[in-house]
């Protein structure tokens, strides 16, 4: 092995490690951004045409692009949640990188505070999460995130079952 | 320092980083596998003779080997839990690698959905976790996982107290 | 690029990766230490003059230095919590390293067990967390941790909003 060959091989391994670490950082940045009402910081986690699909009733809704993300954060429903106290709490995700794209699969909980006669904290939403990401000129960005409530619907189990596959 | 010596030193540091990242990936893969009922994917996280010990009543029970793991996933109790909606939710683990073995210590919550007159999500089980792992020809695998309910039993605190020790 | 130049560049990238991994390890070690009543292990996560500020009523309280940390762990309030069963549960943190200092922003939940007529597990406290750390001769240590309850107080949202900034 020549030193140069060795260096090229190490560079590749380091790049893979950096990819995983950066992607973990993108996911970890979501909660603080959204729970503090930092609309621009939320929007910047996605690519310009990135999307976020989440469960709404028995179906789902989709936000696309920075205006949608900022509108969600500034909207009355989200403002009420964060004013009362909230955490978009993420566990450790399963991250699979394939070249310039990646998929992270995991869970999120929306944990909220309530005042009143029975004050305390409770899990308001529990979702399976699929984050699709791409390497861009300004780092890894989310191209499509899908959240599916873990309330018994089959789509959530199907999403989780895909975690280990290379499907991108 | 000669370039070659430098490269050997870097290789070791990269290997340690990769070990941690891989082990985090093994733990992160458990939830999506078990909550989607992917019995083979669950079994493949362990070595062929790997074990999983968990609290049962005031005592404990142990599964050993892929048939046991597949049987647990396919069993009526687990099938009911995932059909209703569940997350085996893991926080960030304390990972200690020592050569070809490792110990990860942390927490898991089984968060479940209930329908009925008081629908919502609740923490059904909260456990201290000790994952013992080994480097194998197909990556890091779990050799022994022990979950101990955080319901006041002393064994759980004793398990957590061992996290920082090098004991392997 | 000469091999040596290449090695120096790789060393820097590896160092950054190690910094993140070590800092994640410091945070991950907190729960097992505090939930097992390992007072020395808790104290050793901080520098000798490190501090921990947390919400108390509508205000806050601060512990400073190892005697304070050991006193907290050995105190009757904490001893009761861990005897009944508890997890100081952490999600994935947003880690920003700048030379020899770092800030990690994230969430913690104190999940507890209760016996009695309605036995089970519940979220007793939910906090925004800001961990300030420094590189020391014995690894990364916490210089100042601040926990702010997510019960609607503005300070918690302000803390989370600072996660993405370089402010150190």
């Amino acid at each position: 092995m020549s030193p140069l060959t060795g260096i090229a091989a190490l560079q590749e391994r380091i790049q893979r490690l950096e990819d995983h670490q950066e992607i973990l950082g993108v996911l970890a940045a979501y909660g603080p951004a959204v729970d503090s009402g930092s609309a621009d910081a939320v929007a910047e986690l996605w690519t310009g045409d990135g999307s976020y699909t989440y469960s709404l009733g028995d179906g789902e809704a989709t936000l696309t692009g920075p205006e949608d993300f900022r509108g969600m954060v500034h909207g009355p429903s989200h403002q009420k949640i964060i004013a009362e106290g909230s955490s978009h709490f993420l566990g450790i995700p399963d991250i699979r990188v394939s070249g310039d794209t990646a998929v992270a699969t995991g869970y999120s909980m929306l944990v909220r505070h309530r005042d009143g006669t029975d004050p305390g904290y409770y899990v308001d939403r529990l979702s399976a999460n699929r984050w699709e990401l791409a390497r861009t000129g300004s780092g890894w960005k989310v191209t499509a995130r899908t959240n599916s409530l873990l309330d018994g619907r089959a789509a959530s189990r199907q999403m989780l079952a895909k975690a280990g596959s290379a499907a991108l």
Side-chain angles (χ1 to χ4, degrees), chain A:
Chain A
M1 184 181 72
S2 82
L4 207 55
T5 308
I7 286 180
L10 296 194
Q11 282 175 325
E12 274 192 31
R13 293 169 68 186
I14 291 172
Q15 185 64 56
R16 274 201 299 272
L17 287 162
E18 290 173 340
D19 288 343
H20 275 250
Q21 184 190 285
E22 252 196 68
I23 289 166
L24 190 63
V26 170
L27 271 62
Y30 177 74
V34 79
D35 287 312
S36 62
S38 305
D40 288 343
V42 170
E44 281 161 21
L45 297 175
W46 270 260
T47 54
D49 58 353
S51 66
Y52 179 18
T53 300
Y54 56 93
S55 301
L56 190 67
D58 289 336
E60 55 187 34
T62 298
L63 305 173
T64 306
E67 283 312 308
D68 273 13
F69 291 115
R70 283 193 280 260
M72 180 272 285
V73 173
H74 289 139
S77 166
H78 187 74
Q79 287 295 314
K80 179 177 190 298
I81 288 171
I82 67 176
E84 294 174 353
S86 66
S87 167
H88 289 74
F89 197 106
L90 267 65
I92 52 173
D94 175 305
I95 297 172
R96 313 273 171 143
V97 179
S98 174
D100 293 332
T101 61
V103 172
T105 306
Y107 301 98
S108 63
M109 285 193 283
L110 171 56
V111 191
R112 297 180 58 184
H113 181 257
R114 79 177 146 235
D115 277 316
T117 55
D118 180 25
Y121 300 92
Y122 66 102
V123 178
D124 188 35
R125 293 171 72 91
L126 172 71
S127 301
N129 284 225
R130 179 180 173 90
W131 305 74
E132 301 183 4
L133 303 105
R135 187 193 313 275
T136 77
S138 33
W140 285 91
K141 299 273 184 187
V142 183
T143 53
R145 179 188 181 189
T146 309
N147 270 30
S148 188
L149 278 176
L150 286 158
D151 59 0
R153 66 186 72 197
S156 305
R157 292 189 296 281
Q158 289 158 4
M159 173 190 290
L160 294 173
K162 284 198 300 176
S165 72
L168 281 179

